[in-house]
Amino acid sequence: MLIQQLIIRKMLREKYPNGLPPGHTGGPVWKFALRLLRRQMVSFALVVAGIFSAALGLKGFLLPNDFIDGGVTGISLLTAEVTGWPLSVLLVLINAPFIALAYFHLDRVVALKATAAILGLAVVLWLVSFPVLTQDKLLISVFGGFFLGAGIGLTIRGGGVLDGTEIMAVFASRKSPMSVGDVMLVINVLIFAVAAWLLSVETAMYSILAYLSAAKTVDFMIDGLEEYTGVTIISKRSEAIRRMITEKLGHGVTLYAGRSGYGGHGHQQESMDIVFTAVTRLEVTRLRSEVEAIDHQAFLLMHSIKDTHGGLIKKRPLH
């Protein structure tokens, strides 16, 4: 208990130099500190799990079979194949410039967390042995990319970074009209082109498959099954729809005043409340069915939401 109390006090001093969290009115600070400590422990566990998952994907699948991935990881794998240098050393060396870039030009906290995660991955790759699980090239591509992507995604959920390419992409996007996605695309095209030249076209194609598997897994680990969808509902029965969403589905709603502009009967200027809510994509079908049961002429507009905070939103897993 003494160690736990010391950790709590240290965390509070670092996060709140004035001694109290914002809005604190004299209640027990230790409860807030325990929540903060629990959150940090969960983040640490996610990063550790991500490191071991990525290491399994690299040493158990990709590296023994001469396959590569995109980003700095792909550059490190390709360099290891050509030079014979240890992958753990190359990951640290090649990521170092990107971490320095983040430290001096983007965010020092991100740079420090990235350093810790990458060093952790390098240590695991150096010390831990993983069995080669299959010789089938298709399985290597799919599952090697899956475990690597799961590791990267879990690490991101824990607040760390295992690949410095995105840091460079963010920096480059600020200095050029290209988006982050465009920069990443150019980098990966160059990596796989070099792989096709130095290794073989077949290896490069399987590596692209591994990269796609990893990329989709990263998206899934970050967004999960509960990726949110914003739904705007325009209906004359907005009040009934609002009650259905709040009482039956248990979600919050936002109402804002609007007027119809043009409908099936020509120009219209009818005032109505427009309903907006955010649901998980698993709940979209049910929401649509419930709305149609109330007003089959309701107009629904949906778009993806990467993240939400606050309000009556169901908690997402792995936070």
Side-chain angles (χ1 to χ4, degrees):
M1 285 299 294
L2 177 60
I3 295 177
Q4 187 182 53
Q5 291 175 9
L6 291 174
I7 293 174
I8 290 173
R9 290 176 184 175
K10 182 177 183 297
M11 292 172 63
L12 284 175
R13 283 197 301 269
E14 291 177 352
K15 193 170 183 66
Y16 303 106
N18 294 330
L20 291 174
H24 180 69
T25 58
V29 180
W30 64 269
K31 289 186 177 181
F32 174 82
L34 281 177
R35 288 197 300 270
L36 183 62
L37 178 61
R38 191 178 300 115
R39 189 180 307 160
Q40 296 294 333
M41 292 175 64
V42 170
S43 296
F44 177 76
L46 289 173
V47 172
V48 171
I51 288 172
F52 276 91
S53 178
L56 174 60
L58 291 170
K59 289 191 72 174
F61 291 91
L62 300 181
L63 187 59
N65 297 280
D66 301 333
F67 288 0
I68 67 170
D69 185 45
V72 171
T73 306
I75 297 173
S76 303
L77 286 166
L78 185 59
T79 307
E81 291 297 328
V82 174
T83 64
W85 285 27
L87 178 61
S88 55
V89 175
L90 290 170
L91 281 173
V92 175
L93 292 178
I94 298 177
N95 273 296
F98 304 114
I99 294 174
L101 185 68
Y103 185 84
F104 290 108
H105 296 283
L106 296 177
D107 190 298
R108 293 186 176 184
V109 175
V110 171
L112 294 175
K113 289 184 176 181
T115 301
I118 292 168
L119 287 175
L121 177 60
V123 170
V124 171
L125 289 173
W126 183 271
L127 298 178
V128 180
S129 298
F130 293 92
V132 178
L133 299 177
T134 180
Q135 298 295 330
D136 185 277
K137 293 183 177 181
L138 182 60
L139 292 178
I140 292 166
S141 298
V142 173
F143 284 96
F146 169 78
F147 284 110
L148 179 59
I152 294 173
L154 286 171
T155 305
I156 292 174
R157 291 295 292 268
V161 177
L162 287 181
D163 194 300
T165 314
E166 292 192 10
I167 296 174
M168 186 185 71
V170 171
F171 180 79
S173 67
R174 293 183 178 182
K175 303 295 182 179
S176 71
M178 299 177 67
S179 67
V180 175
D182 293 335
V183 176
M184 292 290 295
L185 178 62
V186 171
I187 293 172
N188 289 321
V189 167
L190 292 175
I191 292 172
F192 291 120
V194 173
W197 178 49
L198 294 179
L199 302 177
S200 69
V201 175
E202 182 185 36
T203 299
M205 289 191 293
Y206 276 115
S207 298
I208 292 172
L209 181 59
Y211 167 73
L212 294 175
S213 175
K216 294 302 293 183
T217 307
V218 169
D219 291 340
F220 178 79
M221 295 304 297
I222 295 175
D223 297 327
L225 286 174
E226 295 201 0
E227 180 181 359
Y228 293 108
T229 299
V231 184
T232 301
I233 306 169
I234 302 174
S235 169
K236 295 180 180 179
R237 302 198 60 192
S238 57
E239 177 58 23
I241 293 173
R242 181 195 67 80
R243 289 199 307 269
M244 177 271 296
I245 294 173
T246 56
E247 297 173 6
K248 186 175 289 188
L249 299 185
H251 283 281
V253 298
T254 298
L255 298 178
Y256 51 97
R259 289 195 303 172
S260 58
Y262 189 85
H265 300 288
H267 293 282
Q268 300 174 355
Q269 294 290 325
E270 185 176 353
S271 298
M272 64 179 65
D273 286 333
I274 299 174
V275 180
F276 176 81
T277 188
V279 298
T280 66
R281 59 185 176 186
L282 296 179
E283 298 171 304
V284 168
T285 302
R286 183 186 177 191
L287 174 63
R288 185 188 293 118
S289 300
E290 296 287 351
V291 170
E292 289 179 354
I294 296 173
D295 182 5
H296 69 279
Q297 293 184 330
F299 177 69
L300 280 74
L301 178 65
M302 305 181 190
H303 60 275
S304 296
I305 299 175
K306 282 297 181 183
D307 201 2
T308 60
H309 179 73
L312 295 178
I313 296 292
K314 294 180 180 179
K315 291 184 178 180
R316 299 172 66 180
L318 296 180
H319 269 305

